[in-house]
Structure formats: C-alpha cells, structure tokens
Amino acid sequence: MKALEGIKILDFTHVQSGPTCTQLLGFFGADVIKVERPGVGDATRKQLVDVKGADSLYFTMLNHNKRSITLNTKTDSGKQVLEKLVKECDVMVENFAPGALDRMGFSWERIQELNPRVILASVKGFGPGPYEDCKVYENIAQCAGGSASTTGFRDGVPMVTGAQIGDSGTGLHLALGIVTALFQREKSGKGQKVLAPMQDGVLNLCRVKLRDQQRLKAGPLEEYSQFGEGHPFGDATPRAGNDSGGGQPGKILKCKGWETDPNAYTYFITQAAVWKNVCDVIGKPEWKEHEDFATPAARLPRLNEIFDAIEAWTMTQDKFDVMEICNPLNIPVGPILSMKEIAEEPSLRETGTIVEVDHPERGKYLTVGCPIKLSDSPVDVERSPLLGEHTEEVLTEVLGYSASDIESMRTDGAI
Ligand code: COA
C-alpha cells in the first residue's frame, strides 16, 4: 500500500518544475500519466544528450514512476482523449506558458464542467500582476524571487545558485498544494485550482532575506561580516557571501588540501552554546573569558578575526577530520561535498536517496530517489518511460478505447 495509491494524475507537464512535482506524486504511489506531443515529447528528452539516441539524463531523472502517452491535443480526436482523461483523473498538472491551456480549449471552466472533482494544478512564472503573461525559466525565477540579489559576495555581481529552487523548489510547493487540495476534496467533494508561481516559491525560500530587509530599519545587520569590515549598509538586503543566514555566525573555511582540491572546505558554525569548545579546538583558550570574545555580541564586530583563527586550524585538518573532531564536541560543522563524493556515498544508497536505475536505451545511471521518507509508503524508483510507451495501455485500460479506435487515432495523427 502506498500513500497515493488509487490517485490518477494527468501529467501535462514538461521541462523541470512540473515534472519534479508529478514525479514526487509517483514516488508516493499515484498513477502518473504523462501526456506528450507525438514524435516530439517533452523537450528535455533530447536536451543535454550524453548517450546518442537515448533519452537524456535531464529527462530520465525527472520522470520516474510515470506512464507516457502521446497525444496531439490540437486534433479533434486528441481533444476527445484529453477530455476523457480529465474526467478519469483526480488531478491535472501543467506548466505551460500562460494561456496555452485556454488556447487548447481547456479553460478552468471547461475542466470543471468535465469533472467538478478534478484539481487543476499549475506552475507559472509569476502570479497575477504585471508579469503574469511572461515565460519563465529557473534563473529568471531566482532573480525575480530575491535569491540572486542576496546571493554572492558584497563586491561581486548577483549570483544564481546551483540548487534549482525556481523549478524543483516550485514543483515541491505545487505537490504540497495538490495533496492539500486532495485532502480538502475529501470533505468538500469539489476540486479546485492550485497555482504555484515560481517567483512566490523562490521568495518563500528567501524568507529570511525579507526578514533582514525589515531589520535594516533598526540599524546595520551585525551578523553580516560586512558589519565587522566597516562597510555601510544600503537600503536593501545585501549579498552576504558565505555568512550564516541565522543568528549563529558561520563561514566556509579552507581545509587541508584546498590548494589543489576545489572542495577541500568545511562550513564552520560558531554556535554560542559551544563557544568554549571552539576556543579549545582552535588553540585559543584565552578567548573563553576575554571581554572581546566571550559573548556573542562582543564577537560580532570581530567575526573575520575569529574565522581567520579558526581557519588557521581547519587548514591543518582534512575536511572529514574536522567533522570527526568537532562532532563529539557538539560544534556544528559540515564538509563541502562534491557531487562525486555524494554519488559515491554508501549511506545515501542505503536510504534510497541515491538510486541506480537501469534504462533500456542508456543502461545504468544514478538518480535522486524520494527525499521525503514515509514509514508506511515505501518508494520503488521505476525508470522513466520511453516516449509513448504506454499509449495503447492507457487508451485501452484506463479510457476503454478499442483497437480500431486506436488505429484511427493513429491515422489522424492524434497519438
Ligand atoms: N499537443 C499539442 N500541442 C501541445 C501539446 C500536445 N500534447 N503539448 C504542448 N503543446 C503546445 C501548447 O499548447 C503550446 O501551444 P500554443 O503556444 O499554440 O498555445 C505549445 O505547445 C508550447 O507550449 P509552451 O508552454 O509555450 O512551451 P515553450 O517551450 O514555448 O515554453 C516555458 C516553455 C517553460 C518557458 C513555458 O512553458 C513556461 O513559461 N511555463 C511556465 C513556467 C515554468 O514552468 N517554467 C519552468 C520550466 S522548468
């Protein structure tokens, strides 16, 4: 038994944001039916190709646990099939450019007419307002949601982050909206529209930066290293480099081997509760009681001096040894792990967070399994479907079409 067993998802998503969402629902046991254009499919199938002729990792890693049917929804019979799918499914998920679904003839009103219990879940770049008609990709969302202006170094350009907070982050938000709407439907009996704009999703993840924006009115942000460096604050939350975003100062520091290994670094947090342990580890016992260092407030203007001293110690240690030494002393530290190290980490394989999948076109590859663990809903990661692999199966088993219906749809170019 899986959590979402029996729930049918009409997956009309493409690229990354929508597919991330429906893949999660698939991991939880929903029957996800991905609708793709005949002969073309989701554009990511053939983007960033590494194995000639095979679906790309971009596609395979975002479309596990789904069935694929091809359907040209701009033909009459294609539209009829889509109507049947809307009637049959619990949720329709899409992330087309604004207006595309309406142009296809599937407005919210029409969808409700077809199935009042269906939930229509959409990712768009922006919510209602001046930019609602814009097409949006990951980095635009990071820029418009406040992430880029607050990421990077004070004296550098705004930076986008490697974590796909605009696409995958919004997909996560949408998945929560969908299961919440399903829960409400239990009581109301009705479907509803769920909208997750990418700008809103990114801003939600940048909540602490809006916190800091408002704190600026009360004076400089003392936990930012620019405070100790004597650089005045402007009227907007600045970029904070690798400063910790919370109340416990932290920084990325060099470890042994940093000269040749780009990831020989550790994140080190000078948590107030264990300050004395930090002083002992770095060989500065005199700082425990010294008036310039003993309290968090006294330390704030001296963070660079403090982190320089800590780094003088971390540079003598391997990043994993820093963890071995600091963990028993309750000092929060974390090695900077490369993707290679993560891919090879046995404990992540054991928890199903990194999974090896076999694919008929490309052979074995690694993917990220379900990052949310439910004790009563085990996840079996299944390979992504080939384009249209389940067209006949879905048309017959789910929608009840006959072999001759399917043949004429093929002749019409509908599937
Ligand atoms: N049969 C027939 N037509 C289909 C179809 C099918 N199965 N599937 C898609 N189409 C059509 C759409 O109806 C649309 O046609 P229209 O422009 O005539 O209305 C067309 O294909 C293209 O869809 P669109 O979404 O505009 O794709 P795009 O490649 O031009 O834009 C995005 C891509 C991602 C920029 C855009 O979809 C978008 O902004 N999405 C919302 C935000 C988002 O999710 N962005 C992140 C992506 S990771």
PDB file of all heavy atoms in Angstrom, residues 13 26 30 41 45 80 111 115 120 122 135 206 217 230 242 287 292 298 326 339 346 350 362 381 384 392 397 399:
ATOM      1  N   THR A  13       2.876  18.054 -17.880  1.00  0.00           N
ATOM      2  CA  THR A  13       3.996  18.942 -17.543  1.00  0.00           C
ATOM      3  C   THR A  13       5.188  18.692 -18.454  1.00  0.00           C
ATOM      4  O   THR A  13       5.282  17.655 -19.111  1.00  0.00           O
ATOM      5  CB  THR A  13       4.457  18.712 -16.095  1.00  0.00           C
ATOM      6  OG1 THR A  13       5.074  17.412 -15.990  1.00  0.00           O
ATOM      7  CG2 THR A  13       3.305  18.806 -15.114  1.00  0.00           C
ATOM      8  N   GLY A  26       4.300  10.363  -8.014  1.00  0.00           N
ATOM      9  CA  GLY A  26       4.529   8.983  -8.471  1.00  0.00           C
ATOM     10  C   GLY A  26       5.286   8.171  -7.423  1.00  0.00           C
ATOM     11  O   GLY A  26       4.952   7.016  -7.158  1.00  0.00           O
ATOM     12  N   ALA A  30       1.004   7.447  -6.723  1.00  0.00           N
ATOM     13  CA  ALA A  30      -0.038   7.871  -7.662  1.00  0.00           C
ATOM     14  C   ALA A  30       0.258   7.281  -9.044  1.00  0.00           C
ATOM     15  O   ALA A  30       1.408   6.998  -9.374  1.00  0.00           O
ATOM     16  CB  ALA A  30      -0.077   9.395  -7.743  1.00  0.00           C
ATOM     17  N   GLY A  41       7.581  14.850 -27.842  1.00  0.00           N
ATOM     18  CA  GLY A  41       7.692  14.613 -26.406  1.00  0.00           C
ATOM     19  C   GLY A  41       8.198  15.826 -25.651  1.00  0.00           C
ATOM     20  O   GLY A  41       8.429  16.895 -26.236  1.00  0.00           O
ATOM     21  N   ARG A  45      13.731  15.515 -23.281  1.00  0.00           N
ATOM     22  CA  ARG A  45      14.195  14.182 -23.714  1.00  0.00           C
ATOM     23  C   ARG A  45      15.446  14.293 -24.560  1.00  0.00           C
ATOM     24  O   ARG A  45      16.332  13.458 -24.491  1.00  0.00           O
ATOM     25  CB  ARG A  45      13.093  13.472 -24.530  1.00  0.00           C
ATOM     26  CG  ARG A  45      11.965  12.870 -23.691  1.00  0.00           C
ATOM     27  CD  ARG A  45      11.065  12.017 -24.562  1.00  0.00           C
ATOM     28  NE  ARG A  45       9.882  11.540 -23.861  1.00  0.00           N
ATOM     29  CZ  ARG A  45       9.798  10.360 -23.224  1.00  0.00           C
ATOM     30  NH1 ARG A  45      10.828   9.539 -23.215  1.00  0.00           N
ATOM     31  NH2 ARG A  45       8.693  10.014 -22.612  1.00  0.00           N
ATOM     32  N   GLN A  80     -10.616  14.884 -27.662  1.00  0.00           N
ATOM     33  CA  GLN A  80     -11.580  13.967 -27.020  1.00  0.00           C
ATOM     34  C   GLN A  80     -10.887  13.076 -25.999  1.00  0.00           C
ATOM     35  O   GLN A  80     -11.407  12.834 -24.912  1.00  0.00           O
ATOM     36  CB  GLN A  80     -12.261  13.102 -28.074  1.00  0.00           C
ATOM     37  CG  GLN A  80     -13.411  13.812 -28.772  1.00  0.00           C
ATOM     38  CD  GLN A  80     -13.818  13.106 -30.060  1.00  0.00           C
ATOM     39  OE1 GLN A  80     -13.557  11.909 -30.247  1.00  0.00           O
ATOM     40  NE2 GLN A  80     -14.442  13.852 -30.957  1.00  0.00           N
ATOM     41  N   ILE A 111     -12.807  22.638 -17.747  1.00  0.00           N
ATOM     42  CA  ILE A 111     -12.285  21.488 -16.985  1.00  0.00           C
ATOM     43  C   ILE A 111     -13.262  21.130 -15.857  1.00  0.00           C
ATOM     44  O   ILE A 111     -13.565  19.953 -15.617  1.00  0.00           O
ATOM     45  CB  ILE A 111     -10.866  21.802 -16.444  1.00  0.00           C
ATOM     46  CG1 ILE A 111      -9.876  21.843 -17.617  1.00  0.00           C
ATOM     47  CG2 ILE A 111     -10.419  20.793 -15.397  1.00  0.00           C
ATOM     48  CD1 ILE A 111      -8.513  22.388 -17.288  1.00  0.00           C
ATOM     49  N   ASN A 115     -15.286  17.670 -15.131  1.00  0.00           N
ATOM     50  CA  ASN A 115     -15.090  16.910 -13.895  1.00  0.00           C
ATOM     51  C   ASN A 115     -14.982  17.858 -12.699  1.00  0.00           C
ATOM     52  O   ASN A 115     -13.914  18.391 -12.417  1.00  0.00           O
ATOM     53  CB  ASN A 115     -13.808  16.053 -14.017  1.00  0.00           C
ATOM     54  CG  ASN A 115     -13.539  15.234 -12.778  1.00  0.00           C
ATOM     55  OD1 ASN A 115     -14.282  15.291 -11.792  1.00  0.00           O
ATOM     56  ND2 ASN A 115     -12.458  14.475 -12.811  1.00  0.00           N
ATOM     57  N   LEU A 120      -6.932  21.230 -10.677  1.00  0.00           N
ATOM     58  CA  LEU A 120      -6.062  21.721 -11.748  1.00  0.00           C
ATOM     59  C   LEU A 120      -4.870  22.427 -11.100  1.00  0.00           C
ATOM     60  O   LEU A 120      -5.042  23.459 -10.450  1.00  0.00           O
ATOM     61  CB  LEU A 120      -6.803  22.698 -12.668  1.00  0.00           C
ATOM     62  CG  LEU A 120      -5.912  23.416 -13.693  1.00  0.00           C
ATOM     63  CD1 LEU A 120      -5.266  22.436 -14.668  1.00  0.00           C
ATOM     64  CD2 LEU A 120      -6.702  24.479 -14.462  1.00  0.00           C
ATOM     65  N   SER A 122      -1.152  24.200 -11.426  1.00  0.00           N
ATOM     66  CA  SER A 122      -0.304  24.854 -12.428  1.00  0.00           C
ATOM     67  C   SER A 122       0.915  25.506 -11.798  1.00  0.00           C
ATOM     68  O   SER A 122       0.826  26.107 -10.726  1.00  0.00           O
ATOM     69  CB  SER A 122      -1.087  25.974 -13.128  1.00  0.00           C
ATOM     70  OG  SER A 122      -2.264  25.474 -13.696  1.00  0.00           O
ATOM     71  N   LYS A 135       6.905  34.105 -19.953  1.00  0.00           N
ATOM     72  CA  LYS A 135       7.508  32.770 -19.838  1.00  0.00           C
ATOM     73  C   LYS A 135       8.679  32.878 -18.875  1.00  0.00           C
ATOM     74  O   LYS A 135       9.404  33.877 -18.885  1.00  0.00           O
ATOM     75  CB  LYS A 135       8.050  32.326 -21.198  1.00  0.00           C
ATOM     76  CG  LYS A 135       6.978  31.903 -22.173  1.00  0.00           C
ATOM     77  CD  LYS A 135       7.628  31.359 -23.433  1.00  0.00           C
ATOM     78  CE  LYS A 135       6.575  30.840 -24.393  1.00  0.00           C
ATOM     79  NZ  LYS A 135       7.167  30.356 -25.642  1.00  0.00           N
ATOM     80  N   CYS A 206      13.372  32.422   0.301  1.00  0.00           N
ATOM     81  CA  CYS A 206      14.235  33.563   0.677  1.00  0.00           C
ATOM     82  C   CYS A 206      13.623  34.370   1.819  1.00  0.00           C
ATOM     83  O   CYS A 206      13.961  35.545   1.995  1.00  0.00           O
ATOM     84  CB  CYS A 206      14.444  34.489  -0.515  1.00  0.00           C
ATOM     85  SG  CYS A 206      15.466  33.793  -1.788  1.00  0.00           S
ATOM     86  N   LYS A 217      15.915  48.649   9.051  1.00  0.00           N
ATOM     87  CA  LYS A 217      15.368  49.900   9.624  1.00  0.00           C
ATOM     88  C   LYS A 217      15.910  50.127  11.034  1.00  0.00           C
ATOM     89  O   LYS A 217      16.042  51.245  11.494  1.00  0.00           O
ATOM     90  CB  LYS A 217      13.836  49.800   9.716  1.00  0.00           C
ATOM     91  CG  LYS A 217      13.131  49.995   8.410  1.00  0.00           C
ATOM     92  CD  LYS A 217      11.648  50.291   8.662  1.00  0.00           C
ATOM     93  CE  LYS A 217      10.839  49.892   7.450  1.00  0.00           C
ATOM     94  NZ  LYS A 217      10.013  48.716   7.637  1.00  0.00           N
ATOM     95  N   GLY A 230      33.301  47.124   8.449  1.00  0.00           N
ATOM     96  CA  GLY A 230      33.094  48.566   8.435  1.00  0.00           C
ATOM     97  C   GLY A 230      32.465  49.101   7.161  1.00  0.00           C
ATOM     98  O   GLY A 230      32.510  50.300   6.896  1.00  0.00           O
ATOM     99  N   ASN A 242      29.327  33.867   2.242  1.00  0.00           N
ATOM    100  CA  ASN A 242      29.004  32.587   2.884  1.00  0.00           C
ATOM    101  C   ASN A 242      28.641  32.757   4.349  1.00  0.00           C
ATOM    102  O   ASN A 242      28.658  31.786   5.116  1.00  0.00           O
ATOM    103  CB  ASN A 242      30.191  31.629   2.751  1.00  0.00           C
ATOM    104  CG  ASN A 242      30.350  31.160   1.316  1.00  0.00           C
ATOM    105  OD1 ASN A 242      29.356  30.876   0.647  1.00  0.00           O
ATOM    106  ND2 ASN A 242      31.575  31.114   0.827  1.00  0.00           N
ATOM    107  N   TRP A 287      40.445  33.091  24.721  1.00  0.00           N
ATOM    108  CA  TRP A 287      39.255  33.785  24.204  1.00  0.00           C
ATOM    109  C   TRP A 287      37.984  33.433  24.991  1.00  0.00           C
ATOM    110  O   TRP A 287      36.965  34.084  24.858  1.00  0.00           O
ATOM    111  CB  TRP A 287      39.026  33.427  22.720  1.00  0.00           C
ATOM    112  CG  TRP A 287      39.908  34.217  21.790  1.00  0.00           C
ATOM    113  CD1 TRP A 287      40.865  35.129  22.123  1.00  0.00           C
ATOM    114  CD2 TRP A 287      39.894  34.160  20.349  1.00  0.00           C
ATOM    115  NE1 TRP A 287      41.459  35.638  21.011  1.00  0.00           N
ATOM    116  CE2 TRP A 287      40.892  35.069  19.893  1.00  0.00           C
ATOM    117  CE3 TRP A 287      39.175  33.445  19.400  1.00  0.00           C
ATOM    118  CZ2 TRP A 287      41.155  35.265  18.538  1.00  0.00           C
ATOM    119  CZ3 TRP A 287      39.433  33.649  18.048  1.00  0.00           C
ATOM    120  CH2 TRP A 287      40.421  34.549  17.630  1.00  0.00           C
ATOM    121  N   ASP A 292      36.546  40.715  24.700  1.00  0.00           N
ATOM    122  CA  ASP A 292      36.302  40.935  23.259  1.00  0.00           C
ATOM    123  C   ASP A 292      35.707  39.706  22.565  1.00  0.00           C
ATOM    124  O   ASP A 292      35.269  39.791  21.415  1.00  0.00           O
ATOM    125  CB  ASP A 292      37.623  41.267  22.545  1.00  0.00           C
ATOM    126  CG  ASP A 292      38.086  42.675  22.842  1.00  0.00           C
ATOM    127  OD1 ASP A 292      37.297  43.442  23.423  1.00  0.00           O
ATOM    128  OD2 ASP A 292      39.244  42.986  22.507  1.00  0.00           O
ATOM    129  N   ALA A 298      29.915  40.611  21.689  1.00  0.00           N
ATOM    130  CA  ALA A 298      31.298  41.102  21.582  1.00  0.00           C
ATOM    131  C   ALA A 298      31.976  40.532  20.339  1.00  0.00           C
ATOM    132  O   ALA A 298      32.837  41.180  19.726  1.00  0.00           O
ATOM    133  CB  ALA A 298      32.076  40.709  22.835  1.00  0.00           C
ATOM    134  N   CYS A 326      35.062  17.824  15.638  1.00  0.00           N
ATOM    135  CA  CYS A 326      34.078  18.792  16.153  1.00  0.00           C
ATOM    136  C   CYS A 326      32.766  18.150  16.592  1.00  0.00           C
ATOM    137  O   CYS A 326      32.133  18.624  17.544  1.00  0.00           O
ATOM    138  CB  CYS A 326      33.807  19.864  15.098  1.00  0.00           C
ATOM    139  SG  CYS A 326      35.221  20.941  14.847  1.00  0.00           S
ATOM    140  N   MET A 339      29.811  16.571  -5.939  1.00  0.00           N
ATOM    141  CA  MET A 339      28.808  15.648  -6.479  1.00  0.00           C
ATOM    142  C   MET A 339      29.408  14.240  -6.614  1.00  0.00           C
ATOM    143  O   MET A 339      28.698  13.246  -6.465  1.00  0.00           O
ATOM    144  CB  MET A 339      28.308  16.135  -7.831  1.00  0.00           C
ATOM    145  CG  MET A 339      27.128  17.050  -7.728  1.00  0.00           C
ATOM    146  SD  MET A 339      25.732  16.255  -6.889  1.00  0.00           S
ATOM    147  CE  MET A 339      24.919  17.683  -6.227  1.00  0.00           C
ATOM    148  N   PRO A 346      27.990   5.597   0.364  1.00  0.00           N
ATOM    149  CA  PRO A 346      27.163   4.389   0.547  1.00  0.00           C
ATOM    150  C   PRO A 346      25.900   4.634   1.373  1.00  0.00           C
ATOM    151  O   PRO A 346      24.862   4.044   1.093  1.00  0.00           O
ATOM    152  CB  PRO A 346      28.103   3.419   1.275  1.00  0.00           C
ATOM    153  CG  PRO A 346      29.448   4.037   1.268  1.00  0.00           C
ATOM    154  CD  PRO A 346      29.331   5.471   0.917  1.00  0.00           C
ATOM    155  N   GLU A 350      21.973   3.475   0.722  1.00  0.00           N
ATOM    156  CA  GLU A 350      21.192   2.627   1.639  1.00  0.00           C
ATOM    157  C   GLU A 350      19.829   3.229   1.958  1.00  0.00           C
ATOM    158  O   GLU A 350      18.851   2.520   2.149  1.00  0.00           O
ATOM    159  CB  GLU A 350      21.976   2.399   2.942  1.00  0.00           C
ATOM    160  CG  GLU A 350      22.968   1.259   2.817  1.00  0.00           C
ATOM    161  CD  GLU A 350      24.102   1.356   3.826  1.00  0.00           C
ATOM    162  OE1 GLU A 350      23.880   1.881   4.924  1.00  0.00           O
ATOM    163  OE2 GLU A 350      25.217   0.901   3.480  1.00  0.00           O
ATOM    164  N   ARG A 362      19.826   3.564 -22.303  1.00  0.00           N
ATOM    165  CA  ARG A 362      21.080   4.154 -21.852  1.00  0.00           C
ATOM    166  C   ARG A 362      21.828   3.308 -20.830  1.00  0.00           C
ATOM    167  O   ARG A 362      22.942   3.650 -20.429  1.00  0.00           O
ATOM    168  CB  ARG A 362      20.850   5.560 -21.305  1.00  0.00           C
ATOM    169  CG  ARG A 362      19.836   5.648 -20.158  1.00  0.00           C
ATOM    170  CD  ARG A 362      19.745   7.063 -19.595  1.00  0.00           C
ATOM    171  NE  ARG A 362      21.069   7.513 -19.275  1.00  0.00           N
ATOM    172  CZ  ARG A 362      21.686   8.540 -19.861  1.00  0.00           C
ATOM    173  NH1 ARG A 362      21.073   9.249 -20.761  1.00  0.00           N
ATOM    174  NH2 ARG A 362      22.904   8.851 -19.533  1.00  0.00           N
ATOM    175  N   VAL A 381      11.747   3.165  -7.044  1.00  0.00           N
ATOM    176  CA  VAL A 381      12.019   4.071  -8.165  1.00  0.00           C
ATOM    177  C   VAL A 381      12.009   3.278  -9.465  1.00  0.00           C
ATOM    178  O   VAL A 381      12.782   2.330  -9.636  1.00  0.00           O
ATOM    179  CB  VAL A 381      13.369   4.791  -7.964  1.00  0.00           C
ATOM    180  CG1 VAL A 381      13.682   5.697  -9.148  1.00  0.00           C
ATOM    181  CG2 VAL A 381      13.344   5.608  -6.672  1.00  0.00           C
ATOM    182  N   SER A 384      12.205   6.029 -16.152  1.00  0.00           N
ATOM    183  CA  SER A 384      11.289   6.904 -16.891  1.00  0.00           C
ATOM    184  C   SER A 384      10.768   6.168 -18.126  1.00  0.00           C
ATOM    185  O   SER A 384      11.456   5.305 -18.683  1.00  0.00           O
ATOM    186  CB  SER A 384      12.027   8.163 -17.321  1.00  0.00           C
ATOM    187  OG  SER A 384      13.107   7.798 -18.151  1.00  0.00           O
ATOM    188  N   GLU A 392      -1.040   2.795 -25.859  1.00  0.00           N
ATOM    189  CA  GLU A 392      -2.131   1.809 -26.056  1.00  0.00           C
ATOM    190  C   GLU A 392      -2.669   1.319 -24.720  1.00  0.00           C
ATOM    191  O   GLU A 392      -3.885   1.190 -24.542  1.00  0.00           O
ATOM    192  CB  GLU A 392      -1.630   0.638 -26.892  1.00  0.00           C
ATOM    193  CG  GLU A 392      -1.517   1.041 -28.338  1.00  0.00           C
ATOM    194  CD  GLU A 392      -1.117  -0.110 -29.253  1.00  0.00           C
ATOM    195  OE1 GLU A 392      -1.350  -1.272 -28.889  1.00  0.00           O
ATOM    196  OE2 GLU A 392      -0.566   0.178 -30.329  1.00  0.00           O
ATOM    197  N   GLU A 397      -6.864   0.398 -21.221  1.00  0.00           N
ATOM    198  CA  GLU A 397      -7.160   0.037 -19.828  1.00  0.00           C
ATOM    199  C   GLU A 397      -7.822   1.158 -19.043  1.00  0.00           C
ATOM    200  O   GLU A 397      -8.717   0.924 -18.233  1.00  0.00           O
ATOM    201  CB  GLU A 397      -5.878  -0.379 -19.102  1.00  0.00           C
ATOM    202  CG  GLU A 397      -5.388  -1.750 -19.535  1.00  0.00           C
ATOM    203  CD  GLU A 397      -4.046  -2.088 -18.916  1.00  0.00           C
ATOM    204  OE1 GLU A 397      -3.653  -1.466 -17.912  1.00  0.00           O
ATOM    205  OE2 GLU A 397      -3.362  -2.976 -19.468  1.00  0.00           O
ATOM    206  N   LEU A 399      -9.056   4.262 -20.450  1.00  0.00           N
ATOM    207  CA  LEU A 399     -10.126   5.010 -21.114  1.00  0.00           C
ATOM    208  C   LEU A 399     -11.086   4.128 -21.913  1.00  0.00           C
ATOM    209  O   LEU A 399     -12.090   4.610 -22.428  1.00  0.00           O
ATOM    210  CB  LEU A 399      -9.506   6.085 -22.026  1.00  0.00           C
ATOM    211  CG  LEU A 399      -8.580   7.094 -21.304  1.00  0.00           C
ATOM    212  CD1 LEU A 399      -8.004   8.103 -22.290  1.00  0.00           C
ATOM    213  CD2 LEU A 399      -9.306   7.830 -20.188  1.00  0.00           C
TER     214      LEU A 399
END
